[in-house]
PDB file of all heavy atoms in Angstrom:
ATOM      1  N   ASP A   1     108.757 129.926 108.980  1.00 93.00           N
ATOM      2  CA  ASP A   1     108.224 129.248 110.173  1.00 93.00           C
ATOM      3  C   ASP A   1     106.892 128.566 109.827  1.00 93.00           C
ATOM      4  O   ASP A   1     105.819 129.117 110.051  1.00 93.00           O
ATOM      5  CB  ASP A   1     108.034 130.266 111.299  1.00 93.00           C
ATOM      6  CG  ASP A   1     107.804 129.622 112.655  1.00 93.00           C
ATOM      7  OD1 ASP A   1     107.376 128.456 112.701  1.00 93.00           O
ATOM      8  OD2 ASP A   1     108.040 130.303 113.676  1.00 93.00           O
ATOM      9  N   ARG A   2     106.974 127.347 109.334  1.00 95.00           N
ATOM     10  CA  ARG A   2     105.767 126.613 108.949  1.00 95.00           C
ATOM     11  C   ARG A   2     104.874 126.336 110.161  1.00 95.00           C
ATOM     12  O   ARG A   2     103.645 126.425 110.067  1.00 95.00           O
ATOM     13  CB  ARG A   2     106.133 125.299 108.258  1.00 95.00           C
ATOM     14  CG  ARG A   2     104.901 124.542 107.765  1.00 95.00           C
ATOM     15  CD  ARG A   2     105.232 123.227 107.101  1.00 95.00           C
ATOM     16  NE  ARG A   2     104.004 122.651 106.568  1.00 95.00           N
ATOM     17  CZ  ARG A   2     103.764 122.450 105.282  1.00 95.00           C
ATOM     18  NH1 ARG A   2     104.663 122.775 104.376  1.00 95.00           N
ATOM     19  NH2 ARG A   2     102.619 121.922 104.887  1.00 95.00           N
ATOM     20  N   ARG A   3     105.498 126.010 111.294  1.00 95.00           N
ATOM     21  CA  ARG A   3     104.697 125.650 112.464  1.00 95.00           C
ATOM     22  C   ARG A   3     103.827 126.817 112.914  1.00 95.00           C
ATOM     23  O   ARG A   3     102.642 126.647 113.210  1.00 95.00           O
ATOM     24  CB  ARG A   3     105.599 125.191 113.613  1.00 95.00           C
ATOM     25  CG  ARG A   3     104.799 124.759 114.826  1.00 95.00           C
ATOM     26  CD  ARG A   3     105.677 124.227 115.936  1.00 95.00           C
ATOM     27  NE  ARG A   3     104.882 123.824 117.089  1.00 95.00           N
ATOM     28  CZ  ARG A   3     105.391 123.401 118.231  1.00 95.00           C
ATOM     29  NH1 ARG A   3     106.695 123.315 118.377  1.00 95.00           N
ATOM     30  NH2 ARG A   3     104.609 123.052 119.232  1.00 95.00           N
ATOM     31  N   LEU A   4     104.412 128.015 112.967  1.00 96.00           N
ATOM     32  CA  LEU A   4     103.622 129.173 113.372  1.00 96.00           C
ATOM     33  C   LEU A   4     102.526 129.454 112.351  1.00 96.00           C
ATOM     34  O   LEU A   4     101.398 129.793 112.728  1.00 96.00           O
ATOM     35  CB  LEU A   4     104.512 130.409 113.541  1.00 96.00           C
ATOM     36  CG  LEU A   4     103.784 131.695 113.931  1.00 96.00           C
ATOM     37  CD1 LEU A   4     103.021 131.536 115.248  1.00 96.00           C
ATOM     38  CD2 LEU A   4     104.769 132.858 114.034  1.00 96.00           C
ATOM     39  N   THR A   5     102.846 129.300 111.089  1.00 97.00           N
ATOM     40  CA  THR A   5     101.835 129.487 110.037  1.00 97.00           C
ATOM     41  C   THR A   5     100.649 128.566 110.278  1.00 97.00           C
ATOM     42  O   THR A   5      99.481 128.996 110.235  1.00 97.00           O
ATOM     43  CB  THR A   5     102.446 129.213 108.654  1.00 97.00           C
ATOM     44  OG1 THR A   5     103.557 130.088 108.445  1.00 97.00           O
ATOM     45  CG2 THR A   5     101.422 129.428 107.552  1.00 97.00           C
ATOM     46  N   GLU A   6     100.930 127.302 110.539  1.00 97.00           N
ATOM     47  CA  GLU A   6      99.856 126.327 110.758  1.00 97.00           C
ATOM     48  C   GLU A   6      99.065 126.653 112.026  1.00 97.00           C
ATOM     49  O   GLU A   6      97.838 126.490 112.059  1.00 97.00           O
ATOM     50  CB  GLU A   6     100.453 124.925 110.836  1.00 97.00           C
ATOM     51  CG  GLU A   6     101.001 124.447 109.483  1.00 97.00           C
ATOM     52  CD  GLU A   6     101.752 123.128 109.583  1.00 97.00           C
ATOM     53  OE1 GLU A   6     102.139 122.752 110.719  1.00 97.00           O
ATOM     54  OE2 GLU A   6     101.960 122.485 108.535  1.00 97.00           O
ATOM     55  N   GLU A   7      99.752 127.115 113.064  1.00 96.00           N
ATOM     56  CA  GLU A   7      99.063 127.475 114.310  1.00 96.00           C
ATOM     57  C   GLU A   7      98.108 128.648 114.080  1.00 96.00           C
ATOM     58  O   GLU A   7      96.964 128.640 114.560  1.00 96.00           O
ATOM     59  CB  GLU A   7     100.083 127.858 115.385  1.00 96.00           C
ATOM     60  CG  GLU A   7     100.850 126.687 115.967  1.00 96.00           C
ATOM     61  CD  GLU A   7     100.054 125.936 117.038  1.00 96.00           C
ATOM     62  OE1 GLU A   7      98.910 126.336 117.323  1.00 96.00           O
ATOM     63  OE2 GLU A   7     100.591 124.949 117.573  1.00 96.00           O
ATOM     64  N   LEU A   8      98.548 129.656 113.353  1.00 97.00           N
ATOM     65  CA  LEU A   8      97.701 130.820 113.106  1.00 97.00           C
ATOM     66  C   LEU A   8      96.502 130.450 112.239  1.00 97.00           C
ATOM     67  O   LEU A   8      95.392 130.964 112.425  1.00 97.00           O
ATOM     68  CB  LEU A   8      98.518 131.931 112.445  1.00 97.00           C
ATOM     69  CG  LEU A   8      99.644 132.525 113.295  1.00 97.00           C
ATOM     70  CD1 LEU A   8     100.397 133.597 112.518  1.00 97.00           C
ATOM     71  CD2 LEU A   8      99.117 133.096 114.602  1.00 97.00           C
ATOM     72  N   LEU A   9      96.716 129.525 111.318  1.00 97.00           N
ATOM     73  CA  LEU A   9      95.598 129.063 110.483  1.00 97.00           C
ATOM     74  C   LEU A   9      94.607 128.258 111.316  1.00 97.00           C
ATOM     75  O   LEU A   9      93.391 128.460 111.223  1.00 97.00           O
ATOM     76  CB  LEU A   9      96.136 128.209 109.326  1.00 97.00           C
ATOM     77  CG  LEU A   9      96.918 128.957 108.248  1.00 97.00           C
ATOM     78  CD1 LEU A   9      97.566 127.967 107.285  1.00 97.00           C
ATOM     79  CD2 LEU A   9      96.008 129.915 107.480  1.00 97.00           C
ATOM     80  N   GLU A  10      95.134 127.363 112.138  1.00 97.00           N
ATOM     81  CA  GLU A  10      94.262 126.520 112.961  1.00 97.00           C
ATOM     82  C   GLU A  10      93.450 127.359 113.943  1.00 97.00           C
ATOM     83  O   GLU A  10      92.276 127.074 114.200  1.00 97.00           O
ATOM     84  CB  GLU A  10      95.104 125.499 113.717  1.00 97.00           C
ATOM     85  CG  GLU A  10      94.280 124.540 114.562  1.00 97.00           C
ATOM     86  CD  GLU A  10      95.142 123.514 115.283  1.00 97.00           C
ATOM     87  OE1 GLU A  10      96.292 123.285 114.856  1.00 97.00           O
ATOM     88  OE2 GLU A  10      94.661 122.952 116.289  1.00 97.00           O
ATOM     89  N   ARG A  11      94.067 128.409 114.454  1.00 96.00           N
ATOM     90  CA  ARG A  11      93.387 129.261 115.432  1.00 96.00           C
ATOM     91  C   ARG A  11      92.571 130.363 114.770  1.00 96.00           C
ATOM     92  O   ARG A  11      91.989 131.200 115.457  1.00 96.00           O
ATOM     93  CB  ARG A  11      94.419 129.843 116.407  1.00 96.00           C
ATOM     94  CG  ARG A  11      95.088 128.759 117.245  1.00 96.00           C
ATOM     95  CD  ARG A  11      96.255 129.304 118.068  1.00 96.00           C
ATOM     96  NE  ARG A  11      96.989 128.208 118.704  1.00 96.00           N
ATOM     97  CZ  ARG A  11      96.649 127.617 119.840  1.00 96.00           C
ATOM     98  NH1 ARG A  11      95.565 128.042 120.484  1.00 96.00           N
ATOM     99  NH2 ARG A  11      97.358 126.622 120.332  1.00 96.00           N
ATOM    100  N   ARG A  12      92.561 130.375 113.455  1.00 97.00           N
ATOM    101  CA  ARG A  12      91.735 131.301 112.662  1.00 97.00           C
ATOM    102  C   ARG A  12      92.008 132.757 113.032  1.00 97.00           C
ATOM    103  O   ARG A  12      91.114 133.571 113.257  1.00 97.00           O
ATOM    104  CB  ARG A  12      90.248 130.957 112.815  1.00 97.00           C
ATOM    105  CG  ARG A  12      89.912 129.530 112.396  1.00 97.00           C
ATOM    106  CD  ARG A  12      88.453 129.202 112.577  1.00 97.00           C
ATOM    107  NE  ARG A  12      87.610 130.007 111.686  1.00 97.00           N
ATOM    108  CZ  ARG A  12      87.355 129.739 110.416  1.00 97.00           C
ATOM    109  NH1 ARG A  12      87.905 128.659 109.842  1.00 97.00           N
ATOM    110  NH2 ARG A  12      86.580 130.510 109.691  1.00 97.00           N
ATOM    111  N   VAL A  13      93.311 133.060 113.071  1.00 96.00           N
ATOM    112  CA  VAL A  13      93.774 134.391 113.445  1.00 96.00           C
ATOM    113  C   VAL A  13      93.793 135.303 112.224  1.00 96.00           C
ATOM    114  O   VAL A  13      94.054 134.868 111.099  1.00 96.00           O
ATOM    115  CB  VAL A  13      95.199 134.297 114.045  1.00 96.00           C
ATOM    116  CG1 VAL A  13      95.788 135.671 114.289  1.00 96.00           C
ATOM    117  CG2 VAL A  13      95.169 133.486 115.326  1.00 96.00           C
ATOM    118  N   LYS A  14      93.530 136.576 112.453  1.00 97.00           N
ATOM    119  CA  LYS A  14      93.711 137.595 111.420  1.00 97.00           C
ATOM    120  C   LYS A  14      95.099 138.195 111.646  1.00 97.00           C
ATOM    121  O   LYS A  14      95.279 139.090 112.459  1.00 97.00           O
ATOM    122  CB  LYS A  14      92.624 138.660 111.521  1.00 97.00           C
ATOM    123  CG  LYS A  14      91.217 138.111 111.311  1.00 97.00           C
ATOM    124  CD  LYS A  14      90.157 139.188 111.511  1.00 97.00           C
ATOM    125  CE  LYS A  14      88.752 138.625 111.331  1.00 97.00           C
ATOM    126  NZ  LYS A  14      87.701 139.660 111.551  1.00 97.00           N
ATOM    127  N   ALA A  15      96.083 137.649 110.937  1.00 98.00           N
ATOM    128  CA  ALA A  15      97.482 137.997 111.174  1.00 98.00           C
ATOM    129  C   ALA A  15      97.965 138.986 110.123  1.00 98.00           C
ATOM    130  O   ALA A  15      97.949 138.694 108.925  1.00 98.00           O
ATOM    131  CB  ALA A  15      98.348 136.737 111.146  1.00 98.00           C
ATOM    132  N   VAL A  16      98.392 140.146 110.588  1.00 98.00           N
ATOM    133  CA  VAL A  16      98.879 141.198 109.703  1.00 98.00           C
ATOM    134  C   VAL A  16     100.377 141.357 109.938  1.00 98.00           C
ATOM    135  O   VAL A  16     100.813 141.716 111.036  1.00 98.00           O
ATOM    136  CB  VAL A  16      98.160 142.538 109.967  1.00 98.00           C
ATOM    137  CG1 VAL A  16      98.622 143.596 108.975  1.00 98.00           C
ATOM    138  CG2 VAL A  16      96.647 142.352 109.889  1.00 98.00           C
ATOM    139  N   ALA A  17     101.163 141.087 108.899  1.00 97.00           N
ATOM    140  CA  ALA A  17     102.621 141.089 109.019  1.00 97.00           C
ATOM    141  C   ALA A  17     103.195 142.425 108.574  1.00 97.00           C
ATOM    142  O   ALA A  17     102.978 142.857 107.443  1.00 97.00           O
ATOM    143  CB  ALA A  17     103.219 139.960 108.192  1.00 97.00           C
ATOM    144  N   TYR A  18     103.930 143.058 109.463  1.00 97.00           N
ATOM    145  CA  TYR A  18     104.573 144.317 109.112  1.00 97.00           C
ATOM    146  C   TYR A  18     105.376 144.195 107.812  1.00 97.00           C
ATOM    147  O   TYR A  18     105.387 145.107 106.986  1.00 97.00           O
ATOM    148  CB  TYR A  18     105.556 144.745 110.209  1.00 97.00           C
ATOM    149  CG  TYR A  18     104.976 145.118 111.543  1.00 97.00           C
ATOM    150  CD1 TYR A  18     105.786 145.129 112.675  1.00 97.00           C
ATOM    151  CD2 TYR A  18     103.654 145.490 111.699  1.00 97.00           C
ATOM    152  CE1 TYR A  18     105.307 145.488 113.920  1.00 97.00           C
ATOM    153  CE2 TYR A  18     103.146 145.857 112.938  1.00 97.00           C
ATOM    154  CZ  TYR A  18     103.976 145.849 114.051  1.00 97.00           C
ATOM    155  OH  TYR A  18     103.493 146.200 115.286  1.00 97.00           O
ATOM    156  N   GLU A  19     106.082 143.066 107.671  1.00 94.00           N
ATOM    157  CA  GLU A  19     107.080 142.958 106.606  1.00 94.00           C
ATOM    158  C   GLU A  19     106.500 142.777 105.211  1.00 94.00           C
ATOM    159  O   GLU A  19     107.234 142.834 104.216  1.00 94.00           O
ATOM    160  CB  GLU A  19     108.068 141.820 106.902  1.00 94.00           C
ATOM    161  CG  GLU A  19     107.509 140.409 106.779  1.00 94.00           C
ATOM    162  CD  GLU A  19     106.830 139.918 108.044  1.00 94.00           C
ATOM    163  OE1 GLU A  19     106.630 140.715 108.989  1.00 94.00           O
ATOM    164  OE2 GLU A  19     106.484 138.722 108.084  1.00 94.00           O
ATOM    165  N   THR A  20     105.181 142.555 105.085  1.00 95.00           N
ATOM    166  CA  THR A  20     104.612 142.399 103.738  1.00 95.00           C
ATOM    167  C   THR A  20     103.652 143.525 103.361  1.00 95.00           C
ATOM    168  O   THR A  20     103.095 143.518 102.270  1.00 95.00           O
ATOM    169  CB  THR A  20     103.908 141.037 103.584  1.00 95.00           C
ATOM    170  OG1 THR A  20     102.826 140.930 104.510  1.00 95.00           O
ATOM    171  CG2 THR A  20     104.884 139.889 103.795  1.00 95.00           C
ATOM    172  N   ILE A  21     103.446 144.483 104.249  1.00 97.00           N
ATOM    173  CA  ILE A  21     102.651 145.667 103.894  1.00 97.00           C
ATOM    174  C   ILE A  21     103.459 146.524 102.914  1.00 97.00           C
ATOM    175  O   ILE A  21     104.661 146.716 103.093  1.00 97.00           O
ATOM    176  CB  ILE A  21     102.290 146.491 105.146  1.00 97.00           C
ATOM    177  CG1 ILE A  21     101.288 145.716 106.016  1.00 97.00           C
ATOM    178  CG2 ILE A  21     101.729 147.855 104.785  1.00 97.00           C
ATOM    179  CD1 ILE A  21     100.964 146.386 107.337  1.00 97.00           C
ATOM    180  N   ARG A  22     102.795 147.027 101.902  1.00 96.00           N
ATOM    181  CA  ARG A  22     103.472 147.860 100.901  1.00 96.00           C
ATOM    182  C   ARG A  22     102.820 149.228 100.824  1.00 96.00           C
ATOM    183  O   ARG A  22     101.616 149.371 101.065  1.00 96.00           O
ATOM    184  CB  ARG A  22     103.448 147.193  99.520  1.00 96.00           C
ATOM    185  CG  ARG A  22     104.338 145.955  99.426  1.00 96.00           C
ATOM    186  CD  ARG A  22     104.432 145.450  98.005  1.00 96.00           C
ATOM    187  NE  ARG A  22     105.323 144.312  97.885  1.00 96.00           N
ATOM    188  CZ  ARG A  22     106.636 144.404  97.626  1.00 96.00           C
ATOM    189  NH1 ARG A  22     107.185 145.598  97.474  1.00 96.00           N
ATOM    190  NH2 ARG A  22     107.376 143.338  97.519  1.00 96.00           N
ATOM    191  N   ASP A  23     103.629 150.221 100.458  1.00 95.00           N
ATOM    192  CA  ASP A  23     103.084 151.561 100.267  1.00 95.00           C
ATOM    193  C   ASP A  23     102.723 151.768  98.805  1.00 95.00           C
ATOM    194  O   ASP A  23     102.845 150.846  97.985  1.00 95.00           O
ATOM    195  CB  ASP A  23     104.068 152.630 100.759  1.00 95.00           C
ATOM    196  CG  ASP A  23     105.428 152.553 100.070  1.00 95.00           C
ATOM    197  OD1 ASP A  23     105.506 152.042  98.937  1.00 95.00           O
ATOM    198  OD2 ASP A  23     106.417 153.028 100.664  1.00 95.00           O
ATOM    199  N   ALA A  24     102.276 152.978  98.472  1.00 92.00           N
ATOM    200  CA  ALA A  24     101.798 153.245  97.114  1.00 92.00           C
ATOM    201  C   ALA A  24     102.889 153.078  96.067  1.00 92.00           C
ATOM    202  O   ALA A  24     102.602 152.784  94.897  1.00 92.00           O
ATOM    203  CB  ALA A  24     101.214 154.653  97.052  1.00 92.00           C
ATOM    204  N   ALA A  25     104.143 153.262  96.474  1.00 91.00           N
ATOM    205  CA  ALA A  25     105.254 153.130  95.534  1.00 91.00           C
ATOM    206  C   ALA A  25     105.790 151.698  95.459  1.00 91.00           C
ATOM    207  O   ALA A  25     106.748 151.426  94.732  1.00 91.00           O
ATOM    208  CB  ALA A  25     106.380 154.075  95.946  1.00 91.00           C
ATOM    209  N   GLY A  26     105.164 150.780  96.211  1.00 91.00           N
ATOM    210  CA  GLY A  26     105.615 149.396  96.204  1.00 91.00           C
ATOM    211  C   GLY A  26     106.689 149.099  97.230  1.00 91.00           C
ATOM    212  O   GLY A  26     107.225 147.988  97.276  1.00 91.00           O
ATOM    213  N   GLY A  27     107.032 150.094  98.072  1.00 92.00           N
ATOM    214  CA  GLY A  27     108.042 149.880  99.100  1.00 92.00           C
ATOM    215  C   GLY A  27     107.485 149.161 100.311  1.00 92.00           C
ATOM    216  O   GLY A  27     106.289 148.844 100.383  1.00 92.00           O
ATOM    217  N   LEU A  28     108.361 148.894 101.263  1.00 94.00           N
ATOM    218  CA  LEU A  28     108.002 148.149 102.476  1.00 94.00           C
ATOM    219  C   LEU A  28     108.153 149.099 103.670  1.00 94.00           C
ATOM    220  O   LEU A  28     109.180 149.097 104.360  1.00 94.00           O
ATOM    221  CB  LEU A  28     108.910 146.923 102.632  1.00 94.00           C
ATOM    222  CG  LEU A  28     108.847 145.923 101.475  1.00 94.00           C
ATOM    223  CD1 LEU A  28     109.998 144.934 101.555  1.00 94.00           C
ATOM    224  CD2 LEU A  28     107.507 145.192 101.457  1.00 94.00           C
TER     225      LEU A  28
END
């Protein structure tokens, strides 16, 4: 979703995505 990416950048949001957080073993 490029549009949402650009919106979050323009609005200077601190966006934390569940799907890219990793644990100590490298899992999701």
Side-chain angles (χ1 to χ4, degrees):
D1 194 338
R2 183 181 185 116
R3 182 177 180 184
L4 179 59
T5 302
E6 291 173 342
E7 287 279 0
L8 295 179
L9 290 171
E10 182 179 340
R11 295 172 188 277
R12 302 179 65 83
V13 173
K14 298 176 181 179
V16 184
Y18 293 161
E19 71 274 9
T20 61
I21 291 175
R22 290 188 177 270
D23 58 25
L28 300 167

